[in-house]
Amino acid sequence: MMGVRTILGQWRSTAKEVWDRTLIVAKFLCVLHVTNTYICTPTLVYGPSMLPTLNLTGDVILAERISTRLGKVGPGDIVLVRSPENPRKTVSKRVMGMEGDRVTFLVDPKKSDRCRTIVGDNVYASRDSRHFGPVPCGLIQAKVFFRIWPPEGFGSLRQGE
Amino acid sequence: MGNASFLWNAMTKSITDDYVLVEKFCLANYKFTDGDVIVFRSPNNHKEKHIKRIIAMPGDWIKVPHSYDMLKIPEGHCWVEGDNSASSLDSRSFGPVPLGLVQGRVTHIVWPPQRVGQVRRSIPEGRFSL
């Protein structure tokens, strides 16, 4: 009967449209996930340990994961590190130079390239390599290079800034 | 879930290439127990991965082999050892491993067919932790 055929045809075209749109959303989410996990990710960082570079109440920063995958993380970089004391926590600290440390350690930091010594900019309120020693490179998750919020702080966070 | 192929001579008596199934749901909470077989990035080289068994969890005391020391596992770390302790590069060489380096838990062997099966939690004989 003509009525049933038309209804069936319309249902089919609607179903196809739903499927196409779902596919577009799924592809978008996949691209977003891959970018976040392997290329670059925005993160909210908060806490006093990186004052005055990063604010106490929270900054949204961009962190890239390509340098860390290649191992190209050097002194002066701000990095996101999975805490060696609690793997569910990710902290942001600055990688210390191998020579000429401005902070005195009780034990000499190992000068091997498998470990990085990380220190917060605010040495009075930071739990870092002075407490738990150098961290393996495998714990370094991303390198911070840009701040996007708050607007007053919008800009690059390169070495030494 | 992810597949991983590893040279598993630290875990088996013979040198074979086994394909194993590694589950990553455990990384949501980092909930592991003694006896789990885990995949982790090497503390010495972040590009290498190892498969070993967890012997002790944070806060446990463990007897360091071939010595009279007892070592307390620091917070956030675990002690790993290979089942084939004679030829195994594990915590006896590089110390406790931070749990943040763990990439997943091995649940099954999927290849070769004669070794297909579940990988069970078990504590090796004679290694106890308080």
Side-chain angles (χ1 to χ4, degrees), chain A:
Chain A
M1 296 200 286
M2 277 309 290
V4 172
R5 269 222 188 115
T6 337
I7 292 170
L8 214 57
Q10 279 174 344
W11 181 87
R12 217 181 235 167
S13 66
T14 316
K16 185 173 179 341
E17 206 178 314
V18 166
W19 175 251
D20 285 341
R21 299 242 171 125
T22 314
L23 216 56
I24 293 177
V25 171
K27 285 182 197 170
F28 171 71
L29 291 176
C30 283
V31 168
L32 203 65
H33 169 79
V34 168
T35 311
N36 261 1
T37 317
Y38 297 103
I39 303 175
C40 175
T41 176
T43 318
L44 176 70
V45 294
Y46 58 92
S49 67
M50 285 295 288
L51 287 168
T53 315
L54 299 175
N55 294 325
L56 171 70
T57 45
D59 286 349
V60 179
I61 48 100
L62 288 179
E64 51 101 353
R65 298 191 188 266
I66 302 177
S67 314
T68 51
R69 194 167 276 270
L70 300 174
K72 288 195 183 347
V73 175
D77 291 336
I78 307 177
V79 289
L80 298 180
V81 171
R82 206 170 273 284
S83 167
E85 297 173 318
N86 180 356
R88 295 162 71 170
K89 208 168 63 163
T90 306
V91 298
S92 66
K93 297 279 181 277
R94 195 182 290 272
V95 177
M96 259 294 132
M98 295 299 171
E99 275 102 17
D101 288 341
R102 284 177 231 112
V103 181
T104 316
F105 287 73
L106 293 171
V107 176
D108 268 340
K110 293 189 203 120
K111 295 192 196 315
S112 68
D113 56 7
R114 66 171 174 95
C115 288
R116 293 285 184 269
T117 309
I118 56 167
V119 176
D121 282 356
N122 182 6
V123 295
Y124 302 107
S126 165
R127 212 174 151 71
D128 47 37
S129 284
R130 293 166 299 159
H131 307 94
F132 47 68
V135 298
C137 277
L139 285 178
I140 300 182
Q141 307 277 297
K143 183 161 93 167
V144 175
F145 67 100
F146 206 84
R147 170 161 48 200
I148 56 179
W149 190 270
E152 307 85 63
F154 189 93
S156 171
L157 284 169
R158 291 257 171 242
Q159 269 189 344
E161 283 177 53

Side-chain angles (χ1 to χ4, degrees), chain A residues 82 84-85 87-88 114 138-139, chain B residues 29-30 44 75-77 100-101:
Chain A
R82 206 170 273 284
E85 297 173 318
R88 295 162 71 170
R114 66 171 174 95
L139 285 178
Chain B
N29 282 326
Y30 284 92
N44 295 332
E75 206 47 53
H77 290 63
L101 290 176

